[in-house]
Structures are given as C-alpha cells and as structure tokens.
Amino acid sequence: MKITEPPRTPEQRKADLLGRLEREIDIWVATADSEGMPCLVPLSFVWHDDAVWLCTRLTNPTGRNLRDGGRTRLALGDTRDVVLVDGEVRTYPMREVPPAAVEAFRAKTGWDPREDHASYAFFRVRPRTVQAWCEVHELPRRHLMREGVWGV
C-alpha cells in the first residue's frame, strides 16, 4: 500500500490482520527480563482458538521471559504495514499443552516440538491490544482491540 491510497477501514484492517495470522509462519516476539533487559527474536507461530501459540525452550531468554513476565509484544510486517499485538502469556509444558494447539502448530509449521528436546514449552498469547496500520494516514484509527475486546 502506498501513502497515496485511501486508508483502509478498521473492518478491512481486521480482515487483513486475521488473514496474515493464518498465512504467515513467523512473528517477532519482544520480551524483557526482571531487570528490564529486552529480548527480540522471531519465532514460528500459529493463530489458534483466538490466540497466538508460540513454542521455544524454557532454557533460553525468550522462554524464561515469557514464563516469568507473563506478557509480550508481537509484531508482524515491515515499517509500512505494521501489526502490533500486546498480550498476556500462559506457559504450557509439553505434557499440559492442549493437543489441538500442538496439532495446529505442527500442521502450519511442519515441526512437532513434542518430538524434539524436552526443554520446549508452548506459550499461549491472548491479545489484549491490537494495532494495525499502513502509513501515517492510518495511524489515527490503528487500534483494533483494546482490553481484549475487538472494536470492529
């Protein structure tokens, strides 16, 4: 989208966002440790049951930060087509993750973490705030969700 194109409606932005959550495989995951040290990594994900499901090791900084901090910011897109999702995190050790979430993750990514190292865990991110915009002219109406409720 170029800045000369008219801004999308909030409804179109939500539809575009949900489409991207279905088709894109990786998402940027921002966390911080208890001292505020930031960590930003791309992880594979699946949009399942109105949440983003991630998988990584509990032994790495991102896994520890997701588990201990209980929140994250996720990002899709480049600087001209942005999606930001602020969400609450729940950690699922392998023995507790819902089978449907694991299967959705496996079907989308082609990777089944249950067959990998035991230190992997799943993290469900429930969106609390969602913003989406292309270019500056969409900034005024960029909030599609606030406090966990879709505005459109």
Side-chain angles (χ1 to χ4, degrees):
M1 174 180 263
K2 294 183 180 180
I3 200 165
T4 56
E5 295 179 28
R8 298 169 297 167
T9 65
E11 293 79 11
Q12 184 60 55
R13 279 190 259 167
K14 180 181 178 185
D16 291 348
L17 159 70
L18 293 174
R20 289 179 75 182
L21 290 171
E22 290 297 327
R23 75 177 171 273
E24 293 197 28
I25 294 176
D26 298 320
I27 197 164
W28 287 102
V29 180
T31 61
D33 67 16
S34 61
E35 296 178 10
M37 179 63 71
C39 183
L40 178 65
V41 298
L43 291 178
S44 297
F45 78 99
V46 66
W47 176 251
H48 172 74
D49 198 21
D50 296 324
V52 173
W53 289 82
L54 309 166
C55 186
T56 193
R57 291 180 185 213
L58 282 168
T59 55
N60 68 33
T62 299
R64 288 191 307 268
N65 294 347
L66 287 167
R67 179 195 62 207
D68 298 345
R71 61 186 182 163
T72 187
R73 172 168 274 185
L74 308 174
L76 288 171
D78 58 35
T79 58
R80 297 193 181 261
D81 186 6
V82 179
V83 171
L84 295 177
V85 177
D86 294 315
E88 297 173 344
V89 177
R90 179 172 174 193
T91 302
Y92 288 86
M94 278 301 168
R95 66 189 176 283
E96 297 174 18
V97 66
V102 179
E103 182 52 32
F105 186 88
R106 187 208 55 77
K108 183 177 184 184
T109 67
W111 174 49
D112 188 339
R114 295 171 296 190
E115 298 172 359
D116 214 316
H117 196 274
S119 66
Y120 280 100
F122 274 85
F123 303 88
R124 182 191 69 201
V125 180
R126 287 268 185 224
R128 298 292 300 152
T129 303
V130 176
Q131 301 174 63
W133 73 91
C134 285
E135 301 292 347
V136 68
H137 64 302
E138 287 190 357
L139 280 173
R141 299 173 71 194
R142 69 186 172 270
H143 283 90
L144 302 178
M145 177 187 282
R146 293 180 191 263
E147 297 183 24
V149 177
W150 291 105
V152 292

